Amino acid sequence: MSPPASHRRRSRLLRWPLVFVAILAFHSLAVYLFTRGFLLTRTELDLHSSRDDHPPQGDVSAACTSWPPPAVDRLVIVVLDALRFDFVAPSTFFPEKHPWMDKLQVLQKLAANEKTSARIFKALADPPTTSLQRLKALTTGGLPTFIDVGNSFGAPAIVEDNIMHQLVKNGKRVVMMGDDTWIQLYPEHFNKSFPYPSFNVKDLDTVDNGVIEHLLPSLHNNDWDVLIAHFLGVDHAGHIFGVDSTPMIQKLEQYNKILEGVIDTLRSLSKPGGTHENTLLLVMGDHGQTLNGDHGGGTAEEVETSLFAWSPKTPPDAVLSVLDHSSCNVDQHGEEVCISTMHQLDFAATISALLGIPFPFGSIGRVNPELYALSTGTWVNQTMGTDACTSQNDLEAWMRRYAEVLCVNCWQVKRYIDQYSATSVIGFPSEDLQHITNLYSRAQANWSASLRFTCSSETGSQDKLEEGKRSVLPQQIDAYTDFLKTFAKLARSAWTEFDLWSMGIGLLLMILSVIIQAYTLVKLNTICQPSDQKSASSSIIGKLVFAFALVAIRAASFLSNSYILAEGRVANFLLATSCITSMWHSMVKGKFSIENFVFLFLNIFTRFGIDIGMSKQSPAPAITKDHSVNAICKIFGVSSCNILLEIFPSISLAFVAYIILKFLSHAICQRFLKYFVSCGTMVSYVSIAFHWASETTLFSHAGIVQGFGRSLAPRFVYAIGGLSLAISALYRIFSPSDHLKMNKRITILAAVMICSWSPTILVLLGKQGPFVALICMTGAWCIIKLQQKCRRDSGLSVADPVSVIQWSFLAVCLFYLTGHWCTFDGLRYGAAFIGFDHFHIIRQGLLLSIDTFGVSHILPILSLPFIAMVSYNSTSKDDRLKNVILNNITQVFLMYGLVIAITATMTIICVTIQRRHLMVWGLFAPKYVFDVIGLLLTDLLICLASFYYS
């Protein structure tokens, strides 16, 4: 006896969600294996330099058998987080002057007036330019690794050898104040510490005020050798307001006054016998930032930061022979200022040489000659060995000392190369390693001869002897420099160890999953197509070919870094192409549809919005002067425009709320559920309006608006959204379904789900949210209407693949339209703190994820059933209607998941091919991370949605 029909239907309903769970598990395994092979960190050696370490006597001269002696007694490091190069350098060095330039006047004046003791450097950071990577690289002397980006919200303690460890190990006392990331990285390395929480990007002053409170008093104390003061105001001002903003300029002006006080204090205590007689001041950034305040990538704005060095005690004039004069210009006061360039990779080695501590074992940087020369202590005629020359001028003595420092520097790097090659699984290519070894051998072979020549007392022409001295030491320094720069270049190009086996297995699993998904979809289409519609099924072949071509074109574009940067425009172009093709097809049949025209116009409007969202010129999430609405300001004037910009988003929000409430009144028939969802939606949208009002100047004196709007209103939205999700789940589980048609039931479930998520996503998007919502709703309406007309004309009951592709492309367009990027500097960190002032990793991580993937993944996937609906007349059998609708929903989910899987697979192929590309960590790897997270999130949402709607 065969089982009843209801039992068979329930078994089918349970089977498809399990298929989606299997797809999620399959993709998770593939992504795990590929990521394990692709995003490996370099091998961190658990070895530390020691004071007793020294080069073997047979390898080098006696002058190079110990670590360099200290050149400074005390070091003051002032870190200005996210310090752009043009914050420090005079505006005359740039083609155009901007309001944020020339604010740090005290540094520019010192560089102009005290050329022998003060210098501005352009410091070049290695991407990724997140704070954790930069602090780790600055202190270890190594290159940052991509996979540590995820730890930027919870920095682990550094176990690799670093200058902080060497300072403590060698008896140096360290005081830290400011960013608490230092405490997380080095929990037991400070004699005194004054940490302040760093992740509340809305707070511009707490960290800075704490540093100000302790900085100047600490300069008068004798209980430290190294003082670190880490300011965060500029970084936070950039994230929230952007570079071209009043808060940013105010912060820079505040820093100028602080630095004036620091410099005056150091100068007053630098007299002979004073506390700071031999102190060096460094004012530096850890990375730069883009014009909208983001960082993390590898653009010039992000990797170019500044370092300013000043010694209260002036070195001899011979230092000018060491300093670079190739980049000099007059400042706005007519004084000449020269700027040098250094790599942050060299910071750890240079600081170690200045303080006389062993270099970190894994440091691969070079002691920077200009920064080293600015310390007066390096000009003392004292060499590291016992065979010092007795008749040398200041420059010759310094060059000899610097050559000895580079000798130890090269030995330390060569020691690390040998240990790394012996320990690491892959190491460096043998031919490159042999070239490095030859460079080192040649440099060391010439060292003893160079010393004998420069210290020679043999008779001969004095002119020839002096000429020889001037040439031999520079040649020796060049030989060491060539070795160090060559290895640094090698490390940058081949540092990451790719596990090709894991990558290959992961890629094969992804390709296999795509094939299985495609086969399953074809099989389901065959099963779902009734026998009386077989003749009409030929029309679906053309749609499938066209849809596949669109997906293939977009996927193939990922092979080019230029097309990855223009991904939003590519998706918009392909979406417009599908719209034009549909319009042409309907016109040929004489059935022109208004939805085609509206959809095409919407694409044009979206294209301009994507250009603005991808310009990285306007701080998110608010509409600012760089938005396209700025064109209205030229017509109505600035004051009217400002009022319009304040009010217009709220008017648009009211229009969005009206549309949603109107939709709810028709979609939901149960009285309790309708009233609850409608009231919750109204309260949420009113709360959003209150929140925006609290951020405007129009209600700056309204205490109630300010108090409720800033924190409580967004929390109301989050709470109502969570409660709505719970109600929708309970309704799905316990409500009787027999008395409702399947299409009506699916509509109710989808409406409740969309209304639960949309207010939270809107408040996180900011004042651009209503415009994005209108575009989203209009685009969805066009796709649904065109899908229904196509289905009526063709008579097919299977899902239309072109509609699914359009839905996917629209989601991509919305991602870029809202100002997001597939890079870490494209994350809108300010959205994570809407409604909250303090950082909590789970809460802020969840809000940031919703903001990032809300309009591109959450809403599109949960609303997919709308394009799977089929209208049947009242005489249709209910069982047949249920089967058709559920099969259509399954088809749509499979199609959408397949599109995302093909895209992610092509991204994986792309990063595999481009793994040695110059922009692999700055562009291709972030693209891979965003795409695979999007793939797994899509699979998870489809799994949940398949259970929810089945």
Side-chain angles (χ1 to χ4, degrees), residues 657 660-661 663-665 667-685 720-721 723-729 731 747-759 948:
I660 291 179
L661 291 174
F663 167 70
L664 289 176
S665 66
I668 303 178
C669 54
Q670 280 82 357
R671 182 175 301 178
F672 168 76
L673 190 63
K674 177 188 291 187
Y675 288 158
F676 174 81
V677 176
S678 300
C679 292
T681 301
M682 290 175 59
V683 173
S684 295
Y685 281 90
I720 293 173
L723 184 60
S724 298
L725 285 176
I727 294 295
S728 64
Y731 174 79
T747 301
I748 294 174
L749 292 173
V752 175
M753 183 59 66
I754 298 305
C755 290
S756 300
W757 280 102
S758 56
Y948 181 72

Side-chain angles (χ1 to χ4, degrees), residues 774-789:
L774 290 173
I775 291 174
C776 182
M777 289 188 294
T778 306
W781 176 79
C782 292
I783 294 174
I784 293 170
K785 285 295 183 180
L786 291 172
Q787 156 84 344
Q788 292 175 348
K789 291 183 178 182

Side-chain angles (χ1 to χ4, degrees), residues 34 38-39 146 556-565 822-824 906-932:
F34 187 87
F38 178 61
L39 295 183
F146 180 86
S557 69
F558 294 157
L559 291 171
S560 168
N561 60 310
S562 299
Y563 279 102
I564 291 178
L565 290 172
C822 284
T823 56
F824 293 103
M906 198 62 198
T907 301
I908 292 175
I909 294 174
C910 168
V911 297
T912 303
I913 296 173
Q914 307 284 13
R915 65 186 183 276
R916 296 298 181 188
H917 193 279
L918 179 65
M919 299 179 67
V920 62
W921 303 125
L923 180 64
F924 292 107
K927 171 62 177 170
Y928 164 75
V929 170
F930 273 80
D931 275 9
V932 296

Side-chain angles (χ1 to χ4, degrees), residues 713-893:
R715 297 182 191 183
F716 263 82
V717 175
Y718 305 150
I720 293 173
L723 184 60
S724 298
L725 285 176
I727 294 295
S728 64
L730 293 175
Y731 174 79
R732 162 64 181 82
I733 296 172
F734 297 108
S735 68
S737 58
D738 295 338
H739 66 285
L740 287 175
K741 287 187 176 182
M742 181 57 69
N743 55 351
K744 188 66 175 179
R745 176 177 169 81
I746 296 296
T747 301
I748 294 174
L749 292 173
V752 175
M753 183 59 66
I754 298 305
C755 290
S756 300
W757 280 102
S758 56
T760 297
I761 295 173
L762 275 178
V763 74
L764 293 177
L765 288 177
K767 295 181 181 179
Q768 65 176 340
F771 305 103
V772 176
L774 290 173
I775 291 174
C776 182
M777 289 188 294
T778 306
W781 176 79
C782 292
I783 294 174
I784 293 170
K785 285 295 183 180
L786 291 172
Q787 156 84 344
Q788 292 175 348
K789 291 183 178 182
C790 176
R791 183 169 290 166
R792 284 197 301 266
D793 294 340
S794 64
L796 290 173
S797 60
V798 296
D800 182 11
V802 175
S803 297
V804 177
I805 299 301
Q806 290 176 331
W807 203 271
S808 171
F809 286 168
L810 179 62
V812 176
C813 291
L814 292 175
F815 178 81
Y816 289 95
L817 177 69
T818 51
H820 292 95
W821 282 67
C822 284
T823 56
F824 293 103
D825 56 336
L827 294 173
R828 299 162 4 112
Y829 296 102
F833 290 90
I834 293 178
F836 300 96
D837 293 326
H838 302 288
F839 176 77
H840 185 276
I841 187 168
I842 297 177
R843 181 182 63 206
Q844 266 56 60
L846 180 61
L847 292 178
L848 184 62
S849 300
I850 294 174
D851 172 72
T852 304
F853 298 105
V855 295
S856 60
H857 290 75
I858 298 175
L859 289 182
I861 293 172
L862 296 179
S863 58
L864 276 174
F866 285 123
I867 62 174
M869 292 299 177
V870 181
S871 298
Y872 276 78
N873 56 43
S874 58
T875 61
S876 299
K877 291 184 179 181
D878 191 50
D879 286 343
R880 183 187 177 191
L881 179 62
K882 288 183 179 180
N883 290 335
V884 171
I885 291 178
L886 291 175
N887 287 334
N888 277 341
I889 292 176
T890 303
Q891 287 175 319
V892 168
F893 282 151

